[in-house]
Amino acid sequence: MRLPDRNHMAIAAVVRYPLRSSMLLVAIAIGVAAVLVLTSLGEGARLYVTSQFNSMGTHLLFVTPGKNEVGGLGGMAGSLGGSPRPFTLGDVRSLKRSPYISSTTPMVMGTANINYQGLERDIGVLGTTHTMKRLFEYEVKSGRFLPELDLDNASPVCVIGDTIARELFGTAEPVGKWVRIGDRRVRVIGWLEQGGQSGGRDLDEAVFVPIAFAMQVYNRESVQRMMVEATSDESLVKAKRDVIGIIKARHFGHEDITVMDQGTILSTFNKIFLVLTSTLAGIAAISLAVAGTLIMNVMLVAVSQRTAEIGLLKALGARRSQIIGLFLTEATLLSSLGAVVGVLVGYASIELLRQLVPLVDFQAPDWAVISAVLMAIASGLLFGIMPARHAADLDPVEALAGR
Amino acid sequence: MIRFENICRDFKVGDETVHALKDVNQHIEAGEYASIMGPSGSGKSTLLNVLGLLDTPNSGHYWLNGRDVSKLPDDDLAATRHEIIGFVFQSFHLIQRMTALENVELPMVLAGIAPAERQDRARQMLCKTGLESRMSHRPDQLSGGQRQRVAIARSIVMEPKVLLADEPTGNLDSQSGKEVLDILEELHADGLTLILVTHDPVIGQRSHLHLRMTDGIIKAERQHLQRQPEDNGDAPS
Ligand SMILES: Nc1ncnc2c1ncn2[C@@H]1O[C@H](COP(=O)(O)OP(=O)(O)OP(=O)(O)O)[C@@H](O)[C@H]1O
Ligand SMILES: [Mg+2]
């Protein structure tokens, strides 16, 4: 039997039962589209985080207390591995000694209540220094960002995000006003331009205060983490070595810090998102397996609908392999068509997502598209085998009688 | 050409065994025109199915063209069927969605013959069975007799040696039945071995080898009559 003839017969069968065929098509298409859409969510999130990190300037080191063997995102290690020595402002200051370090930005984060003339809300407080502005390229709408102060100068000033400004002051100008943060009076000196998120924190809902002020509010002696800016990309490695060396000396020979550069963080993020995306793909693939069992069902029905025809083919001398080939072609044709429709629907849905959330670059990774299509076709073959063999095993006399 | 040696075919129905063919011994030569007659349930169709390799005997030997085909594997049976045997069924077994021409092409599609040659040969066969003006009609646009003639064209398109027909005129009125029989006899005259099951004693009379079945057993008798003239007056023309 020639290949075009076999394909032609399979197409004829697919066209002859439009309801059956389109139902199967839809089932497979949903599976394939689900893989595309779900993986595009994971991939979109990954690309988003990556681009956020890349917008932070290029030669940054992230320093957290505690030795993190896994090279993960830090922070956690402190609570897991005994009690690492915290960073003091003295530690921060000491890093200035290195010629490869151009700035050191300490951070203390927490939440607090902000109050202006009876209006109040909960906010994220970020204690830091003036260098933060340069690292994240914040735009100031009015007033100014935190001024350059001594590290231990707990000047009661703050810079507020756009959402907070609107909620507390409405259309009035916030700069120059006094607000309450916790039980302290603080003067607003700056109002940040509305704009996205950085480092996972919603900028519009944040209030920036001097590091020493935040340490007083939260009653702590140490900073949570530091961002160290190297003088150049080339000096990044040396800066890292210096950070470790200087802190180790100050911590009596204990190397109890974790220093990560953006590359490490990015690759960690990439790993996490790859796991996330594959998990989503796996979940979506289950729907393909379900579609596969549907293929089996539909093909079994197809065989019983065409029993007499199969009997005739056998009487005319069709070999087993020819009958198997005929039904497998049909199943594969249906699953391939379903895969094509699924890819189209998937891409259309992703385009819709992009329209809805323009901030995130949703896109299904190529590996997900290819494996979804291959899986759909493979499930057509795999789940088509049983019904095809069933057809080939029919007794010709019984089949001719339609039994 | 065909030799049956102690062929038995049993069917199990529940705990009972039906002996459809009981120890059948029969010889049919190439070019023979044989009819199988007998009461309903006597085993005629079973015999024809075994002859056509659609069914395999439980015991005994079946020699076809000098080869024992009673124990062949499935695919060899299919290949032998494809080469040597043509079938004509009482209910035609045409594929409804295909035209007459496509139905006749079907065995050649299975054989992997290219479309041009296929159509050529199918047209010839349809001309031979008098359907030159009905080639692109589908079965539901044809009369019963025309359908059976399409089926005959299909059965001979692979140039088989043996044509097996199970009550080929059973679903036809006497006029179209006669036309179909004429075609079958013509094919026989051209050298085809023709074996048909029939309830019609007139047809039975016209065959040369007369096989009478009762209860799974064959009684053979050879007719020494010459073939009757074409118009014997029992059907208006
Ligand atoms: N698949 C089967 N299962 C069980 N019994 C069967 C089967 N096929 C045939 N038989 C039995 O075998 C016997 C012979 O059947 P067969 O069909 O050969 O009869 P027949 O001579 O062709 O009858 P008819 O003239 O009615 O067509 C019958 O008793 C029938 O019931
Ligand atoms: Mg019968």
Side-chain angles (χ1 to χ4, degrees):
Chain A
M1 196 169 180
R2 298 160 71 251
L3 192 63
D5 287 325
R6 196 170 75 193
N7 293 343
H8 181 255
M9 282 175 100
I11 291 168
V14 166
V15 172
R16 190 151 37 109
Y17 303 100
L19 185 66
R20 185 203 76 170
S21 300
S22 47
M23 266 172 55
L24 198 56
L25 231 78
V26 167
I28 296 164
I30 288 174
V32 171
V35 172
L36 263 63
V37 170
L38 286 185
T39 54
S40 82
L41 295 182
E43 182 72 358
R46 186 184 74 81
L47 291 173
Y48 178 69
V49 168
T50 309
S51 72
Q52 287 299 315
F53 259 94
N54 284 335
S55 73
M56 276 196 301
T58 51
H59 31 272
L60 276 183
L61 293 172
F62 298 81
V63 188
T64 46
K67 185 79 190 154
N68 187 342
E69 304 291 351
V70 199
L73 292 176
M76 291 172 73
S79 54
L80 294 175
S83 57
R85 230 163 297 262
F87 295 148
T88 61
L89 290 179
D91 288 335
V92 177
R93 218 175 264 127
S94 68
L95 292 179
K96 290 223 172 83
R97 284 211 307 268
S98 165
Y100 304 110
I101 293 174
S102 63
S103 76
T104 305
T105 308
M107 286 198 285
V108 165
M109 288 172 281
T111 55
N113 185 273
I114 191 169
N115 182 317
Y116 176 71
Q117 293 181 349
L119 286 174
E120 57 179 283
R121 60 165 293 162
D122 289 322
I123 48 158
V125 174
L126 182 54
T128 185
T129 60
H130 68 285
T131 45
M132 185 91 172
K133 177 173 185 285
R134 198 175 67 235
L135 299 187
F136 289 91
E137 295 166 352
Y138 293 148
E139 298 290 335
V140 177
K141 199 169 193 168
S142 79
R144 54 168 305 178
F145 196 71
L146 296 175
E148 184 170 356
L149 299 168
D150 273 349
L151 275 177
D152 46 12
N153 182 341
S155 176
V157 293
C158 71
V159 176
I160 60 177
D162 192 54
T163 307
I164 294 171
R166 283 178 199 292
E167 287 184 10
L168 292 186
F169 299 98
T171 50
E173 169 64 55
V175 173
K177 302 278 178 5
W178 286 82
V179 295
R180 257 179 191 288
I181 294 178
D183 53 3
R184 286 156 204 269
R185 274 165 54 77
V186 185
R187 194 161 56 90
V188 178
I189 57 165
W191 172 13
L192 289 183
E193 194 73 70
Q194 184 178 11
Q197 297 155 316
S198 261
R201 232 154 216 279
D202 196 344
L203 177 62
D204 296 338
E205 311 243 337
V207 169
F208 294 80
V209 296
I211 182 81
F213 181 82
M215 287 165 73
Q216 277 178 16
V217 169
Y218 295 112
N219 193 23
R220 50 186 301 161
E221 307 275 284
S222 59
V223 306
Q224 283 167 328
R225 63 187 64 183
M226 298 183 273
M227 278 181 286
V228 173
E229 190 186 10
T231 49
S232 67
D233 277 342
E234 295 74 47
S235 57
L236 195 67
V237 176
K238 289 176 188 137
K240 185 172 182 173
R241 193 197 57 207
D242 279 3
V243 169
I244 294 171
I246 292 169
I247 301 289
K248 190 172 169 183
R250 290 180 59 88
H251 288 184
F252 310 102
H254 297 288
E255 194 186 320
D256 54 358
I257 60 167
T258 303
V259 182
M260 284 187 288
D261 53 46
Q262 268 169 297
T264 321
I265 293 189
L266 270 182
S267 74
T268 308
F269 264 122
N270 280 338
K271 268 183 231 157
I272 292 175
F273 277 106
L274 187 66
V275 171
L276 175 77
T277 309
S278 338
T279 310
L280 289 174
I283 292 170
I286 293 174
S287 62
L288 271 178
V290 174
T293 60
L294 197 67
I295 294 176
M296 185 150 74
N297 246 305
V298 163
M299 291 310 296
L300 279 175
V301 172
V303 170
S304 61
Q305 271 172 338
R306 269 178 274 162
T307 306
E309 198 176 309
I310 296 163
L312 172 72
L313 289 177
K314 292 196 138 193
L316 294 179
R319 275 174 285 111
R320 244 182 89 76
S321 57
Q322 289 182 314
I323 290 172
I324 291 181
L326 217 54
F327 281 93
L328 273 190
T329 307
E330 190 176 328
T332 317
L333 182 74
L334 280 168
S335 57
S336 314
L337 278 177
V340 170
V341 174
V343 167
L344 294 179
V345 170
Y347 278 133
S349 316
I350 291 169
E351 192 50 46
L352 196 71
L353 276 177
R354 287 162 162 274
Q355 304 287 327
L356 291 177
V357 190
L359 208 61
V360 182
D361 182 20
F362 292 105
Q363 53 184 72
D366 289 345
W367 61 263
V369 179
I370 292 168
S371 48
V373 168
L374 288 183
M375 239 189 99
I377 296 171
S379 70
L381 266 176
L382 199 70
F383 289 94
I385 285 175
M386 199 274 261
R389 293 176 66 113
H390 175 65
D393 287 339
L394 287 179
D395 178 74
V397 176
E398 306 252 306
L400 272 169
R403 268 176 278 153
Chain B
M1 171 99 215
I2 288 171
R3 195 147 56 88
F4 269 23
E5 258 181 40
N6 308 322
I7 292 283
C8 292
R9 181 68 175 106
D10 309 323
F11 293 104
K12 287 232 157 39
V13 183
D15 329 315
E16 275 184 55
T17 307
V18 180
H19 300 282
L21 298 177
K22 293 179 192 158
D23 225 18
V24 172
N25 288 284
Q26 183 64 46
H27 182 83
I28 299 172
E29 268 167 55
E32 188 67 87
Y33 175 10
S35 67
I36 306 170
M37 297 188 71
S40 185
S42 57
K44 305 181 294 293
S45 295
T46 308
L47 180 70
L48 207 71
N49 289 336
V50 172
L51 276 169
L53 301 175
L54 288 176
D55 201 0
T56 44
N58 296 80
S59 65
H61 292 281
Y62 171 13
W63 269 276
L64 180 63
N65 262 351
R67 186 154 83 122
D68 187 355
V69 292
S70 38
K71 299 270 168 338
L72 283 184
D74 252 20
D75 274 357
D76 290 351
L77 287 179
T80 315
R81 240 177 354 243
H82 197 60
E83 280 167 36
I84 302 184
I85 294 160
F87 287 98
V88 175
F89 306 96
Q90 178 174 1
S91 52
F92 323 127
H93 281 299
L94 297 176
I95 295 183
Q96 294 300 322
R97 64 175 184 280
M98 296 183 176
T99 63
L101 191 73
E102 287 166 342
N103 267 290
V104 178
E105 276 183 65
L106 195 56
M108 295 185 282
V109 169
L110 291 175
I113 294 170
E117 184 189 344
R118 231 154 60 192
Q119 283 164 15
D120 231 45
R121 277 167 64 178
R123 275 198 200 92
Q124 283 174 26
M125 292 305 131
L126 284 168
C127 290
K128 208 167 185 170
T129 55
L131 289 170
E132 41 283 87
S133 58
R134 294 284 183 280
M135 297 206 194
S136 51
H137 288 224
R138 277 185 292 127
D140 55 7
Q141 299 161 331
L142 297 172
S143 74
Q146 288 168 333
R147 287 181 213 179
Q148 195 60 300
R149 283 188 273 155
V150 175
I152 292 171
R154 180 182 63 194
S155 74
I156 56 171
V157 77
M158 294 305 291
E159 295 170 355
K161 304 271 184 302
V162 185
L163 190 62
L164 303 173
D166 196 345
E167 299 183 41
T169 59
N171 278 355
L172 304 177
D173 60 75
S174 60
Q175 174 58 30
S176 14
K178 187 181 164 299
E179 284 167 14
V180 163
L181 191 67
D182 284 345
I183 293 172
L184 291 175
E185 288 182 350
E186 245 169 68
L187 292 170
H188 165 250
D190 289 346
L192 200 63
T193 309
L194 178 63
I195 304 175
L196 46 86
V197 171
T198 182
H199 282 294
D200 184 345
V202 178
I203 299 176
Q205 291 303 311
R206 292 164 68 131
S207 68
H208 306 163
L209 178 64
H210 193 101
L211 304 177
R212 172 148 278 283
M213 288 206 74
T214 30
D215 246 353
I217 295 167
I218 288 193
K219 213 176 79 211
E221 51 197 67
R222 185 158 291 278
Q223 313 261 316
H224 293 290
L225 297 168
Q226 279 307 302
R227 217 175 131 181
Q228 313 231 324
E230 289 295 291
D231 276 317
N232 53 10
D234 61 356
S237 43

